[in-house]
Amino acid sequence: SERGTKIITAEYNKVAIISTIVDDSIVEKVCKIIEEEAYTGENTDGIITISNIENVFNIGTKKKDSEAL
């Protein structure tokens, strides 16, 4: 399993959740790639939500914010 990817099996259906944090400068590019790769033409293709992340801290490298990504 890749980091940030988790499969959740709901009671009635299977749901895949992709969670990723990217620098603001590539948000649109990443969204476009996900749209193109996930598109099947079905209503169940999913949704993309975008949220602001206030701070990021990488425990292993001790780096913060953009450097932590």
Side-chain angles (χ1 to χ4, degrees):
S1 173
E2 296 293 323
R3 286 179 52 177
T5 302
K6 184 175 184 179
I7 300 292
I8 298 171
T9 303
E11 187 174 343
Y12 301 105
N13 59 351
K14 191 178 269 190
V15 177
I17 296 174
I18 300 169
S19 177
T20 187
I21 300 172
V22 299
D23 195 86
D24 288 343
S25 63
I26 62 169
V27 168
E28 293 298 322
K29 180 179 180 179
V30 170
C31 284
K32 188 69 174 168
I33 291 169
I34 293 170
E35 287 177 50
E36 291 171 357
E37 296 301 318
Y39 181 78
T40 68
E42 300 293 325
N43 286 339
T44 56
D45 281 347
I47 60 171
I48 295 174
T49 60
I50 300 170
S51 300
N52 289 323
I53 303 296
E54 295 295 323
N55 298 28
V56 176
F57 184 74
N58 185 313
I59 297 169
T61 64
K62 307 289 188 206
K63 293 183 179 179
K64 296 181 180 180
D65 300 323
S66 292
E67 292 181 4
L69 300 179

